[in-house]
Amino acid sequence: MPTEHDTDDVRDRIATAADTVGTNWPLHSFVTANPLAGYEDRPFHEAAERAERLRGGRTYPDAETFRDAWEHDRIDPEVLRAELAAHGYDTDPEASLGRLAERDDPAPERDDATERVDRALAKWLAAFCDEGEASWPMPNREAGFYDAVRATARHDSQIPNAASLADAPDDPAAAIAAVLADVPRERWTAVFEAHLNALPGWTGLVKYRVERGDEWQDAYPITLVGYLAARLLLAERFDAPLDPLAEREPDRTDDHDVPLAEAWLRAWEASYRDEVVDAVADASAARADADTEGDAERADAQLVFCIDTRSEVFRRHLQAAGDYETHGYAGFFGVPMRHEGYGAEASADACPPIVDAEHHVGERPDDARAHERAAHDRWTGRLHAGEKVLKAVKSNAATAFSFVESAGSAYGVALAARTLLPERVHDLRDALDARIPSAPDFCTPTVERDGTHERGLPVGMTHEERVEYAEAAFETMGWAEFSRLVVFTGHASETSNNPYEASLDCGACAGQPGGPNARVLAAICNDDAVRDALRERGHELPEDTVFLAAEHNTTTDEVTLYDRDVPESHAADVERLRADLDVARSGAAAERAEAMGVDPEDATRETERRAADWAETRPEWGLAGNASFVIGPRDLTADRDLDGRAFLHSYDWERDDGDALDAIFAGPVVVTQWINAQYYFSTVDNAAYGSGSKVTQNPVGNVGVYQGNGGDLMTGLPLQSLMAADDDPYHQPLRLSVVVHAPVERVRDVLADNEHVRTLCENGWLSLTVVDPTRGHDAYEYDAGFARAEETEATPEAERVEAEDGTPTDPLLAADD
């Protein structure tokens, strides 16, 4: 009988082993995240080797991908040869490509018994984790997964000796210890790692449920201990290996310090990064010269967009359309909240996963707009009632056939229209939306604290909190002057029949639209008491500055202005902005259409078709192509076409004492690295880290998708989000290059206080380059210290020194200190 020491040891080892599996968000709030986040404390190449052994699959681009980049001049020959030589490889590109091509794809060794365990376990996980899709829910779910499986799966005829599941210990940790009684204790962690990685999609979803503690977890709890207990009990009954990794220890004969693929990848990344760094450095020098020309005129409007790469395209076209100033800020606009829309049955977090929601914000109807509210309630009530009736008659065995008989022809016409004339369907939706008032037409977000709580969070915010959120936005972006109109612009996507639609919404809002956050910050900044407090703190807000919110539809590039409360004095400003937003839409849509192989002349109409077409597998490219993150003033990149590949965060080092940059490193840098890593791994091996083709996907339980009719949940992005064609990748799998415009000492100090980002840099999960405006606009690369970019390879490791605080630096900076 297992002792208390045994069960405690089981739990501790499972917690350690769980780091090898990334968190998997459910489809309705899909968040792109690094699938190997638990390995970030290791150098990238070591993490890659470990992941390949545990999960199989490729962790580096294959030889053909590198060859394509080489032949299209994306890799600088000199950079490549220097990188190959630095790690002891043959510097002839063709020879090294040939060696790469000889490398076999790593494949997990799985026996038939393990496959049967996977199928049985996945079936019961799907039944247990269902979030409202199943007509017949699994019995006993309220008791938790382990107890529910013991009570229900013992009736499963496909499980050998299933009835004996009821005899397993009540404590799942004790059940695990009993199953592993004959396995050496020092192997237990390896056993847990192997079994957690056998179905990483389901394991990742369990981690999500445990970490987030949402209403589904509260009602139907599942834990990693209970999950592993059920799996090991099934493995015992199917006579599957309990310690699958025992015979799969690594057999490395390569004596190079990094794999050959790592050398190629570094050269490709450096070639791309040099272009971005050179552009920022040149603009920095030009900016210094221009500063002597005097103060610039006040822009017609300032618009704050999410740092999302899609915003870069639209911002460029908007600034070409008129005298506008654009800024980049994390798309939740610094407000860590949970949002509940008007009439919604549930709330959803609208902030990054690394941030805890601190406020519950709902939509409060405005009594002065009761007419719009009544119209909204009337129309939506009819639509919802119709949907419920339709769902009931379709799923009821007694009415399904008669429904088809009576409504078949009408259904056929509707299906034909959605298939053959999707753009007309989009027009119909627009007409309906124009007729039905939306929540922003008659609601105001509850930003004032009312003393109540919803789902554990205080409703609204105190006055001091509102002032802090507004000031944080101004200071982080380095604002000193304000236009008559300031527009906070969130973003969302528009697609039909797309399980992964949340992946196209705002990642900074946990896969939700960013419009509600924009409305909250606009409401805060328009509050007279908040504005007075900001002026007392030194922020010179003009009396004629009006804040409003908007939402950018990234599929169609249409921007909706929430201008309900804009005073008449600013009506002409708003109309001019609205017209220029339409001009920018046409230009941005044409650029994106060309990237999708569509005639730019029909771009706007084509984007509407893609949004409404239920058969469209690629409504938009999303963040495909992302490769860099530029932190600095917009004018450093305003005249550069960054091809929708750069995250852009506004920052002015001259108006910061270090706190703003620290916040950017702690939040946006981490989140963008997650996004970049998800795109990287989904591209290099879509079967292992992506989700395959949308054509063969099947959604399950509103939590994920299968490929086919069962098995593991797919964890990453679909092929259509990454590939232009079967053999033509659109996304270039590069790790994130962060470029910061600031004194290098400032960045060094921030890194000293941010161990996580420093670890990401030193372990090769991202690169960091600083363009220093105080040192002749030179670029400095971080590699356990800073050195001028052109001297990085030549700087001997022995010459690097450390600052007094222990932070690695380089001799150049040490001398200046």
Side-chain angles (χ1 to χ4, degrees):
M1 185 68 181
T3 66
E4 183 177 351
H5 170 72
D6 294 331
T7 56
D8 288 345
D9 192 29
V10 165
R11 291 187 171 88
D12 291 342
R13 290 174 181 270
I14 289 175
T16 299
D19 287 340
T20 63
V21 183
T23 303
N24 188 20
W25 274 256
L27 282 178
H28 55 75
S29 58
F30 184 86
V31 173
T32 50
N34 183 2
L36 302 186
Y39 297 90
E40 289 173 349
D41 60 344
R42 307 179 183 210
F44 184 89
H45 63 277
E46 291 182 11
E49 179 183 300
R50 177 69 174 163
E52 287 184 3
R53 191 168 75 89
L54 276 174
R55 293 179 58 171
R58 181 181 291 280
T59 50
Y60 285 104
D62 59 21
E64 287 306 308
T65 301
F66 284 127
R67 180 177 295 279
D68 181 74
W70 172 253
E71 292 178 349
H72 285 85
D73 299 323
R74 299 187 187 117
I75 303 178
D76 186 301
E78 292 185 10
V79 172
L80 174 62
R81 291 187 175 91
E83 194 68 51
L84 292 171
H87 301 290
Y89 289 105
D90 188 334
T91 57
D92 176 40
E94 284 298 327
S96 62
L97 279 174
R99 181 175 174 181
L100 272 176
E102 293 172 0
R103 179 180 183 271
D104 293 329
D105 288 340
E109 300 171 12
R110 302 176 70 81
D111 58 277
D112 291 341
T114 299
E115 293 285 355
R116 292 196 293 274
V117 171
D118 289 346
R119 286 196 295 270
L121 187 63
K123 175 175 64 178
W124 290 108
L125 282 165
F128 183 88
C129 294
D130 173 78
E131 296 190 358
E133 288 297 306
S135 299
W136 294 349
M138 178 182 178
N140 301 317
R141 287 204 295 169
E142 64 282 351
F145 179 71
Y146 176 68
D147 288 336
V149 168
R150 285 198 301 149
T152 310
R154 60 195 175 102
H155 303 292
D156 189 340
S157 61
Q158 296 179 341
I159 300 175
N161 195 22
S164 65
L165 289 171
D167 299 328
D170 292 337
D171 182 352
I176 292 173
V179 172
L180 298 182
D182 295 331
V183 177
R185 189 177 293 265
E186 64 268 17
R187 293 291 307 166
W188 283 12
T189 302
V191 169
F192 299 149
E193 288 178 349
H195 285 280
L196 289 172
N197 280 274
L199 295 174
W202 282 115
T203 302
L205 181 67
V206 174
K207 286 187 67 173
Y208 167 86
R209 291 268 298 255
V210 172
E211 292 167 358
R212 306 302 288 183
D214 60 13
E215 55 265 30
W216 291 101
Q217 176 71 357
D218 292 341
Y220 312 117
I222 183 172
T223 65
L224 288 173
V225 177
Y227 164 72
L228 273 179
R231 180 177 180 89
L232 290 172
L233 288 172
L234 290 178
E236 190 177 50
R237 279 147 186 78
F238 279 104
D239 196 25
L242 295 178
D243 188 1
L245 295 179
E247 304 301 324
R248 272 195 274 158
E249 292 302 324
D251 181 25
R252 282 198 62 183
T253 58
D254 194 339
D255 58 358
H256 295 88
D257 59 341
V258 300
L260 179 57
E262 172 78 18
W264 270 85
L265 182 60
R266 290 183 183 185
W268 189 0
E269 291 165 343
S271 301
Y272 167 77
R273 181 168 59 250
D274 287 348
E275 296 179 4
V276 178
V277 170
D278 288 347
V280 172
D282 291 346
S284 177
R287 182 176 189 259
D289 294 338
D291 281 348
T292 60
E293 300 296 325
D295 295 334
E297 294 184 4
R298 194 182 188 192
D300 289 339
Q302 294 166 308
L303 293 95
V304 184
F305 289 85
C306 181
I307 61 176
D308 188 288
T309 58
R310 291 166 290 184
S311 298
E312 185 270 325
V313 178
F314 191 88
R315 290 170 64 182
R316 184 162 20 92
H317 287 277
L318 178 61
Q319 289 184 247
D323 185 14
Y324 298 109
E325 186 180 297
T326 69
H327 296 265
Y329 193 46
F332 76 115
F333 296 103
V335 184
M337 70 183 202
R338 183 176 298 164
H339 179 253
E340 185 170 347
Y342 176 76
E345 296 180 355
S347 59
D349 284 356
C351 54
I354 62 173
V355 175
D356 292 329
E358 297 181 13
H359 311 280
H360 187 282
V361 175
E363 300 290 347
R364 180 181 60 204
D366 187 341
D367 293 338
R369 298 180 180 273
H371 178 72
E372 288 95 331
R373 179 186 179 187
H376 171 90
D377 291 348
R378 182 170 60 252
W379 278 98
T380 55
R382 292 171 181 170
L383 290 173
H384 291 162
E387 289 171 356
K388 288 182 179 179
V389 171
L390 187 61
K391 182 177 181 180
V393 297
K394 286 198 302 181
S395 59
N396 190 308
T399 59
F401 290 104
S402 59
F403 170 75
V404 172
E405 289 287 337
S406 60
S409 58
Y411 234 57
V413 171
L415 295 181
R418 292 181 67 184
T419 304
L420 302 175
L421 299 168
E423 64 274 15
R424 299 296 184 190
V425 174
H426 188 276
D427 292 343
L428 181 61
R429 289 179 182 171
D430 277 353
L432 193 60
D433 288 342
R435 185 165 186 175
I436 304 176
S438 62
D441 293 328
F442 59 87
C443 287
T444 301
T446 54
V447 296
E448 294 187 13
R449 176 66 53 80
D450 65 6
T452 63
H453 286 68
E454 291 285 346
R455 294 176 173 85
L457 295 175
V459 174
M461 308 157 200
T462 64
H463 168 73
E464 185 63 27
E465 287 169 337
R466 282 176 276 147
V467 174
E468 292 291 341
Y469 292 138
E471 184 174 43
F474 298 165
E475 292 188 345
T476 302
M477 290 184 285
W479 273 8
E481 299 178 355
F482 299 84
S483 299
R484 282 170 53 83
L485 284 182
V486 177
V487 187
F488 298 115
T489 311
H491 66 97
S493 67
E494 179 187 0
T495 60
S496 297
N497 190 31
N498 180 15
Y500 278 90
E501 61 182 341
S503 71
L504 300 177
D505 283 336
C506 183
C509 300
Q512 303 296 322
N517 296 72
R519 292 177 60 223
V520 166
L521 188 55
I524 289 173
C525 293
N526 281 326
D527 184 281
D528 288 338
V530 171
R531 293 167 73 116
D532 289 343
L534 289 171
R535 291 188 183 102
E536 291 175 2
R537 297 187 181 195
H539 300 280
E540 298 180 5
L541 273 173
E543 292 292 339
D544 66 347
T545 292
V546 173
F547 295 87
L548 65 155
E551 191 169 83
H552 172 207
N553 182 331
T554 57
T555 309
T556 66
D557 276 312
E558 182 179 11
V559 175
T560 301
L561 289 174
Y562 301 128
D563 57 341
R564 185 190 76 187
D565 297 321
V566 173
E568 186 63 29
S569 59
H570 289 64
D573 302 81
V574 171
E575 287 309 309
R576 180 170 60 249
L577 173 60
R578 199 187 306 276
D580 287 336
L581 286 170
D582 287 340
V583 173
R585 176 193 182 185
S586 298
E591 181 174 330
R592 294 183 191 216
E594 188 173 5
M596 290 188 287
V598 176
D599 184 358
E601 294 295 325
D602 301 322
T604 300
R605 198 60 172 159
E606 173 62 12
T607 60
E608 293 175 344
R609 182 198 68 77
R610 287 177 178 269
D613 190 349
W614 71 333
E616 178 57 62
T617 58
R618 187 184 299 115
E620 58 161 286
W621 274 120
L623 290 91
N626 75 84
S628 59
F629 184 11
V630 180
I631 302 169
R634 170 56 176 160
D635 54 7
L636 296 181
T637 56
D639 297 329
R640 304 284 178 166
D641 181 354
L642 299 177
D643 199 26
R645 304 187 66 188
F647 300 95
L648 301 177
H649 200 301
S650 295
Y651 173 73
D652 188 342
W653 70 270
E654 293 182 283
R655 301 184 185 279
D656 176 38
D657 59 3
D659 290 345
L661 188 60
D662 184 73
I664 294 172
F665 270 54
V669 168
V670 173
V671 173
T672 53
Q673 188 268 335
W674 276 18
I675 294 169
N676 172 265
Q678 179 80 85
Y679 272 85
Y680 172 90
F681 286 109
S682 293
T683 302
V684 298
D685 194 326
N686 197 260
Y689 298 102
S691 60
S693 173
K694 287 184 177 180
V695 177
T696 50
Q697 285 178 353
N698 281 310
V700 53
N702 199 31
V703 295
V705 296
Y706 287 145
Q707 273 295 333
N709 64 352
D712 195 17
L713 291 182
M714 308 305 288
T715 59
L717 298 158
L719 283 168
Q720 287 82 1
S721 295
L722 307 161
M723 307 289 289
D726 287 347
D727 299 319
D728 183 15
Y730 178 82
H731 179 72
Q732 298 177 33
L734 305 178
R735 292 168 297 192
L736 188 68
S737 294
V738 179
V739 182
V740 183
H741 182 259
V744 72
E745 294 90 348
R746 171 79 52 80
V747 181
R748 186 190 65 191
D749 291 343
V750 169
L751 276 181
D753 294 332
N754 197 314
E755 182 180 1
H756 180 52
V757 174
R758 191 170 71 249
T759 299
L760 291 174
C761 295
E762 293 175 356
N763 285 340
W765 294 90
L766 58 77
S767 66
L768 173 62
T769 306
V770 177
V771 174
D772 191 335
T774 69
R775 294 174 177 268
H777 313 282
D778 285 342
Y780 294 83
E781 292 183 0
Y782 181 80
D783 182 14
F786 284 100
R788 284 197 180 92
E790 64 270 21
E791 298 175 1
T792 302
E793 292 296 330
T795 303
E797 193 67 27
E799 292 183 11
R800 297 189 181 274
V801 297
E802 292 189 352
E804 291 181 1
D805 62 0
T807 306
T809 182
D810 71 284
L812 292 173
L813 299 188
D816 288 344
D817 291 343

